[in-house]
Amino acid sequence: MDYKASDRIQDLQYFGEFGGVNPSISDSSTYTFLSAKTMFDTFEGNTEGCYLYTRHSSPSNLYLGEALAALEGTESANVYASGMGAITSVIFQLCDAQDHIVSSRTIYGGTYAFMKNFLKKFTIETSFVDMTNLDAVEQAITPQTKMIYCEAISNPLLEVANIKALSTLAKKHGIPLVVDNTFSPLSIAPAQLGADIVIHSLTKFINGSSDCVAGVVCGTTEFCLSLKDVNHGAGMLLGSTLDGLRAASILKNLRTLHIRMKKHSENALFLAEKFEDDGLKVVYPGLSSHPGFEVMQQQMHPKYGFGGIMTLDVGSLEKANLLMEMMQQKNLGYLAVSLGFYKTLFSAPGTSTSSEIPLEEQEAMGLSDGLIRFSIGLDDDINRTYEIMKSCMNELGILNKKQLAE
Ligand SMILES: *Cc1c(COP(=O)(O)O)cnc(C)c1O
């Protein structure tokens, strides 16, 4: 596959105002104009390269946007104050009252709650379907449908979307395919596979240091400009603007993304294989037992692996909680939501990040209450981590007698 995202990022070149090796940070909310006429034209959206007001755009945000467009291989990208800021802007830009969305049923809890509850206020309906069942996706499409929405690798069940097939379907019906690629930067390139709009929560792997929230929308220049339109742009009018200082710091962290993703993936694959051998219920898209393994192999960039997220089902919420507390005591990571940190993060999605999803729906989609989601860290000695995790599981009786005897 001809995919050179890391080359495109490597090839970006910025100079600071004084010849610095990092771009200068623009620390202003508003910008001067030499002529009043140019100010008017800028409001009308006619003047490229003029800064107006920071909610509209700012140099630091444009630099980060340019780098993220390079990451996904799209024409353009707009950054936002959070992943949800990016997602909600896209939805409001594409949907009017009475419109309809076809979405995967396994998506980030906040996105699910927004579509299921909040959009009711605007009479926008969502059908939640199994994205791996293309017939179900197609049957859900109505004349009112304005987008197909999914995650490349879904939260928290790690379903793998067949982006090529979904994009063919979306094109057949003349609607855009919107893909949240938060779980798989670099390893999956949805826009190269036919997605029209790619979203990330930058909060996770891309920034990678759990010190901020931010988001991005990658797409055509036309769509990105429409989001910024002073009269009709959802990004501009909803106002979830990323601070320029933060944009500059995310841009610096982006430079090590390729190294981090390889290590996250290597460590997660190691643990997933070990725990599967130990007889535990592991879900990881890099295991041949995973239903999305083949699709994943067809559409991934092998260099970056299958990603850093894995789930373990330890049988009950009580055991899950005990295990997570013990792992934190032993300094294997943190009992915390979110992902992409250098330390392993773990949480029980049913009672945390997916608690917006009603219990009976959680059951229907296979989200059991003993499920723990792990964002595997950058541990240098992952075998040592495995041994300590295993000793915790032995102590809590999570591995059965046969497994213990081995
Ligand atoms: C965290 C997350 C979001 C939301 O991003 P925020 O930066 O927290 O607003 C959206 N989608 C996925 C897959 C996520 O993991």
Side-chain angles (χ1 to χ4, degrees), residues 34-304:
L34 287 176
S35 93
K37 168 81 171 72
T38 320
M39 182 184 271
F40 174 77
D41 289 344
T42 305
F43 263 96
E44 295 283 290
N46 297 332
T47 314
E48 278 274 312
C50 269
Y51 297 104
L52 173 70
Y53 181 63
T54 286
R55 179 154 44 76
H56 182 256
S57 70
S58 65
S60 299
N61 287 7
L62 288 190
Y63 287 137
L64 178 60
E66 193 186 331
L68 293 164
L71 170 75
E72 290 297 353
T74 56
E75 281 176 7
S76 188
N78 293 352
V79 295
Y80 292 92
S82 68
M84 285 307 294
I87 292 165
T88 53
S89 295
V90 167
I91 293 173
F92 279 133
Q93 197 66 25
L94 294 177
C95 296
D96 292 329
Q98 314 284 320
D99 280 342
H100 176 251
I101 299 168
V102 174
S103 170
S104 166
R105 58 182 191 171
T106 64
I107 50 171
Y108 178 69
T111 312
Y112 179 87
F114 183 76
M115 289 179 178
K116 173 130 184 154
N117 308 327
F118 201 88
L119 286 180
K120 274 205 186 122
K121 294 187 193 197
F122 303 90
T123 64
I124 298 167
E125 286 274 334
T126 304
S127 299
F128 295 97
V129 298
D130 176 357
M131 270 293 136
T132 61
N133 179 346
L134 292 169
D135 289 335
V137 177
E138 184 156 32
Q139 272 160 28
I141 296 172
T142 74
Q144 269 64 51
T145 306
K146 288 295 155 68
M147 69 168 98
I148 299 179
Y149 184 95
C150 69
E151 295 173 0
I153 298 182
S154 80
N155 183 35
L157 294 176
L158 311 182
E159 283 176 357
V160 179
N162 187 336
I163 296 167
K164 261 194 188 148
L166 287 167
S167 104
T168 306
L169 195 60
K171 283 185 177 65
K172 180 176 157 197
H173 291 269
I175 48 179
L177 173 65
V178 180
V179 178
D180 178 339
N181 197 28
T182 300
F183 275 32
S184 40
L186 289 174
S187 33
I188 299 180
Q192 311 308 304
L193 297 164
D196 299 281
I197 296 165
V198 183
I199 299 174
H200 283 274
S201 165
L202 302 176
T203 314
K204 314 294 172 53
F205 288 106
I206 291 182
N207 184 56
S209 47
S210 292
D211 55 3
C212 71
V213 283
V216 69
V217 174
C218 306
T220 61
T221 303
E222 189 190 358
F223 184 68
C224 290
L225 283 178
S226 76
L227 283 165
K228 284 185 191 173
D229 187 277
V230 294
N231 291 308
H232 302 283
M236 178 68 181
L237 300 173
L238 294 173
S240 79
T241 309
L242 180 60
D243 184 75
L245 292 175
R246 194 49 92 176
S249 90
I250 296 170
L251 181 62
K252 286 176 247 181
N253 285 351
L254 178 66
R255 295 165 183 165
T256 57
L257 179 67
H258 58 300
I259 303 169
R260 289 185 280 115
M261 285 315 293
K262 285 178 197 167
K263 193 65 183 167
H264 284 300
S265 292
E266 179 191 314
N267 284 354
L269 180 63
F270 180 91
L271 291 179
E273 284 177 342
K274 286 281 189 189
F275 287 126
E276 186 170 63
D277 279 351
D278 290 337
L280 284 167
K281 274 168 89 179
V282 194
V283 174
Y284 182 67
L287 295 175
S288 58
S289 59
H290 190 283
F293 180 65
E294 268 172 36
V295 176
M296 187 72 196
Q297 279 188 314
Q298 286 158 20
Q299 63 186 17
M300 75 190 280
H301 194 290
K303 213 158 78 176
Y304 304 106

Side-chain angles (χ1 to χ4, degrees), residues 295-329:
V295 176
M296 187 72 196
Q297 279 188 314
Q298 286 158 20
Q299 63 186 17
M300 75 190 280
H301 194 290
K303 213 158 78 176
Y304 304 106
F306 296 89
I309 311 296
M310 147 191 127
T311 70
L312 275 182
D313 188 343
V314 297
S316 70
L317 179 60
E318 194 196 352
K319 279 192 176 159
N321 288 345
L322 287 171
L323 178 63
M324 291 190 293
E325 286 164 12
M326 188 181 279
M327 284 178 50
Q328 180 161 258
Q329 270 160 19

